[in-house]
Structure formats: structure tokens, C-alpha cells
Amino acid sequence: MGFPEIRMRRLRSSPSIRRLVRQTTLSVDDLVYPLFVCEGMGVKKPIKAMTDCFHFSPDTVAAEAAEVASLGIPAVLLFGLASKKDDVGSEAWAERGAVQRAIKEIKKLVPELLVITDVCLCAYTESGHCGVLRRSSLVARDPAHESRGTSHEARIDNDSTCELLAKTALSHAQAGADIVAPSDMMDGRVSYIRQCLEKNGFNETAIMAYSAKYASAFYGPFRDVADSSPAFGDRKSYQMDPVNANQAMAEIELDIEEGADIVMVKPALCFLDIIHRAKRRFDCPVAAYNVSGEYMMLNAAAQAGLLDRDAAMMEVLYSIKRAGADIIITYFAKAAARELKTKLK
Ligand code: PBG
């Protein structure tokens, strides 16, 4: 006696033994890089709210996608920016829309890179909501109603929105998208999209559903980028309440039943328990979205000299992986791919 019988430090005593006993692996194969596409030609405009992110036009985004592919990252996720908005978000499914053109350009230049598209209306509607408003909601915009507590965000019409989402997803598939990713949180949208794709012969297009998407404060920087903040109200009548966990399992189960191939939890860091539960309970691949606010928290802290960005980034990405994510969508993907490469040397 008088000495510790179990010495945990033995397995930490050198870089090689630490490598040997590492339980969680992170590979470039796990990463998806989000890209923002706008109208125009030759555009590569830095985004103030998000370090190292840009607005690209369809031509320049293809060159960027080629760089992403050269780093070994298997997929990009495209977000569109509207040149004009209206009440139904019709630019979302325009054949010559920025996203639709970007898909074609990317597929021409780097056919092997998977193109995933975000399917939502919020960047395209005047209201900034993810769906169309019921006519009666115009009444609810009257401040007199608001003061009586009328929730106008509850007046997004579910089923007519689903039809427009299906139309949008189809336009992405027609342009050549490999995977469509509905991020709106309407009920039944995966089913609408699946049926619409099947009816039109796109039985190979996969659906990655934003299944457990929470009404989170961590989307702040993104909404600046996409100019998609709700003009009034919030998204709490369709996105999930961050305090709930069981409901996330029900959402995921429904999406799988409706035909989703991959399910997603979003954001990642405040919801690691949800990722963990989803992975244990379901067999289909689980994606986690490391969102804009999570990305900028680290960048801002590093900028202030408070932490080492790349070390913090890897810790965050490993924690998402350790929780159970198979796929991580992250603005850090390029930096992480470079970091993983240097680690191998
Ligand atoms: C569109 C959408 C959002 C994000 C992805 N798709 C914004 C929102 O729901 O308000 C957020 C992405 C991020 O913050 O990185 N519905």
C-alpha cells in the first residue's frame, strides 16, 4: 500500500500510446462544408458576420467547391440568397435561381463532390419565415392583436408550405443535387418531398432531414448572412423548444418513416445529449450541424486572444463525434481537414 494501485497515467504517457488508445476518431470523410450562393458573376464577397466565409456567385462557388474537394471533404451544403423576395418565396424553386445554377456549375467541375441543398423558404419570403403565412395572419400583424398575445408565427400554413418545399426540392434534384435537406420544420414535409421526387423519377435523390431543429439563439450570424431573420415574431411555432428531448426522438422517428435517409440534430453543442440519444436509438446516419453561432463563438474568443482556435475547434468537433454524430456539418470543415492532414504526417 501507500501507492496508487491503478495508474491511469500509463496510457497517457507518450504521444504514441495516446494514439493507440484513442477511442474516438474524426476523419475528413465525416465533414460537410456549407456555402452561400448569390446571383451574379465573379462574386466572392467576404461575410462580415462570419470569419472566412463568403458570398459566391454560381461560377465562383464551383471553384471553391473544387478546393473543398481537393481537401478530401466529401460534400458541400448550399444555401441560396434571394435577389428578390415575395410572399411565397418563389425564387426558391426558380429554374435559373442561384442555387440551381450553382449545382450545375459544381457538378460540371467536380462531379464526384456531393451536393446537398438546404430546402427552405426563409431566405426567399418577405416575412423571413420558413413558410407561407395564412391570410388571417395579416390581421395578427396588427399591434393591437400582438398586445393581446396573438402568436402570428403560429399562422404559418403547414400544408401549402410543404407543397412549395417539395417544388423547391424537385428543382434542386432536377439541377443535379445529390441530397436535399429540408430545414423548415413543417410537419410531413419529408413525405411531401419524397412523393414528389418519386413521382418525377428522382428515386436516387437522398433526403437529409433537419429532424430535430431547435429554435436556437445560435443561428444569429447565419440570419445576418442570409438576410432571413423573421420580419415579425419568431420561429417557435415550428422549430423545437430547446428544453425538450423526447420530442426530438418523435421528430426523428417520423422523418425516418416518411422517407428520410439521414436525420439531423441542430445545433450541435447545446444538444449533444440529443445526438447521443438519436445515435443509440436509430440505425440511420445521424448528422449534427455545428451552427454559425457556435462557429463564431470560437472565432470571437480566439480573436480576443482568449483561446487557441484550432485546438478548440478540434475539441468541439471531436465532442460532436464522441456524442454519436456520423456526419458533422461545419464552417470549420476546411480548417479541420487541414488540421487532420498535418496530424497524419
Ligand atoms: C433555414 C436555416 C437556418 C440555418 C440553416 N438553415 C436558419 C434558421 O433556421 O433561422 C442556420 C444555420 C446556421 O446558423 O449556421 N431555415
Side-chain angles (χ1 to χ4, degrees), residues 118 120 122 183 213 219 222-223 235 239 266 292 331:
D118 185 86
C120 198
C122 61
S183 67
K213 177 171 176 181
Y219 308 147
F222 176 95
R223 288 183 189 170
R235 304 206 201 287
Q239 298 181 349
K266 177 185 175 186
S292 59
Y331 305 98

Side-chain angles (χ1 to χ4, degrees), residues 34 36 50 77 79 118-123 128 130 181-185 210 213-214 216 218-223 226 228-230 235 238-239 266-267 289-295 331:
F36 300 101
M50 290 178 68
L77 170 60
F79 289 96
D118 185 86
V119 175
C120 198
L121 301 181
C122 61
C130 303
S183 67
D184 51 283
M185 290 299 280
Y210 287 70
K213 177 171 176 181
Y214 286 90
S216 167
F218 288 90
Y219 308 147
F222 176 95
R223 288 183 189 170
S228 62
S229 287
R235 304 206 201 287
Y238 41 103
Q239 298 181 349
K266 177 185 175 186
Y289 199 138
N290 177 215
V291 300
S292 59
E294 299 172 334
Y295 173 72
Y331 305 98

Side-chain angles (χ1 to χ4, degrees), residues 65-66 69-70 73-75 106-115 178:
S70 75
I73 297 167
I106 294 171
K107 281 291 169 191
K108 234 190 288 169
L109 197 63
V110 260
E112 73 281 9
L113 183 73
L114 285 174
V115 176
D178 300 286

Side-chain angles (χ1 to χ4, degrees), residues 80-106:
L81 276 94
S83 59
K84 57 177 185 350
K85 307 188 187 223
D86 58 29
D87 53 348
V88 292
S90 54
E91 206 176 299
W93 60 86
E95 199 189 326
R96 301 277 306 151
V99 168
Q100 287 79 356
R101 282 169 40 224
I103 299 167
K104 289 190 185 138
E105 295 293 328
I106 294 171

Side-chain angles (χ1 to χ4, degrees), residues 186-214:
M186 297 300 127
D187 286 324
R189 88 274 207 217
V190 172
S191 182
Y192 273 82
I193 291 172
R194 178 55 79 212
Q195 281 175 40
C196 176
L197 290 174
E198 288 287 328
K199 220 169 47 205
N200 289 278
F202 289 92
N203 53 10
E204 286 180 15
T205 310
I207 299 177
M208 176 169 82
Y210 287 70
S211 303
K213 177 171 176 181
Y214 286 90

Side-chain angles (χ1 to χ4, degrees), residues 53-328:
C53 294
F54 299 84
H55 285 144
F56 292 100
S57 46
D59 54 330
T60 55
V61 84
E64 175 71 8
E67 192 196 321
V68 172
S70 75
L71 287 165
I73 297 167
V76 290
L77 170 60
L78 302 185
F79 289 96
L81 276 94
S83 59
K84 57 177 185 350
K85 307 188 187 223
D86 58 29
D87 53 348
V88 292
S90 54
E91 206 176 299
W93 60 86
E95 199 189 326
R96 301 277 306 151
V99 168
Q100 287 79 356
R101 282 169 40 224
I103 299 167
K104 289 190 185 138
E105 295 293 328
I106 294 171
K107 281 291 169 191
K108 234 190 288 169
L109 197 63
V110 260
E112 73 281 9
L113 183 73
L114 285 174
V115 176
I116 311 173
T117 55
D118 185 86
V119 175
C120 198
L121 301 181
C122 61
Y124 303 93
T125 52
E126 271 162 356
S127 70
H129 277 291
C130 303
V132 291
L133 305 180
R134 277 192 222 148
R135 215 165 283 152
S136 56
S137 63
L138 297 175
V139 179
R141 288 169 79 166
D142 174 349
H145 281 74
E146 216 166 314
S147 64
R148 288 201 297 273
T150 310
S151 73
H152 17 89
E153 69 275 10
R155 310 216 173 203
I156 306 298
D157 192 68
N158 192 87
D159 299 4
S160 59
T161 297
C162 286
E163 275 166 28
L164 301 182
L165 292 165
K167 220 164 146 169
T168 303
L170 178 61
S171 80
H172 294 172
Q174 283 165 336
D178 300 286
I179 305 179
V180 292
S183 67
D184 51 283
M185 290 299 280
M186 297 300 127
D187 286 324
R189 88 274 207 217
V190 172
S191 182
Y192 273 82
I193 291 172
R194 178 55 79 212
Q195 281 175 40
C196 176
L197 290 174
E198 288 287 328
K199 220 169 47 205
N200 289 278
F202 289 92
N203 53 10
E204 286 180 15
T205 310
I207 299 177
M208 176 169 82
Y210 287 70
S211 303
K213 177 171 176 181
Y214 286 90
S216 167
F218 288 90
Y219 308 147
F222 176 95
R223 288 183 189 170
D224 241 21
V225 175
D227 184 26
S228 62
S229 287
F232 60 92
D234 52 41
R235 304 206 201 287
K236 290 180 185 163
S237 80
Y238 41 103
Q239 298 181 349
M240 284 186 57
D241 185 338
V243 306
N244 289 337
N246 292 346
Q247 222 176 62
M249 299 305 112
E251 286 279 7
I252 292 170
E253 195 164 3
L254 273 171
D255 282 356
I256 295 171
E257 272 171 31
E258 290 177 27
D261 303 282
I262 300 171
V263 294
M264 194 201 300
V265 175
K266 177 185 175 186
L269 295 183
C270 290
F271 303 92
L272 292 173
D273 59 323
I274 308 297
I275 296 172
H276 186 69
R277 283 180 61 173
K279 184 61 195 168
R280 290 181 81 158
R281 182 149 157 188
F282 302 104
D283 292 328
C284 92
V286 175
Y289 199 138
N290 177 215
V291 300
S292 59
E294 299 172 334
Y295 173 72
M296 285 312 295
M297 267 197 309
L298 290 199
N299 279 301
Q303 190 115 50
L306 300 176
L307 48 77
D308 174 333
R309 190 193 91 146
D310 285 351
M313 164 183 84
M314 293 311 277
E315 192 172 322
V316 160
L317 297 177
Y318 270 108
S319 74
I320 298 169
K321 196 68 204 296
R322 197 184 63 237
D326 300 293
I327 299 165
I328 306 175

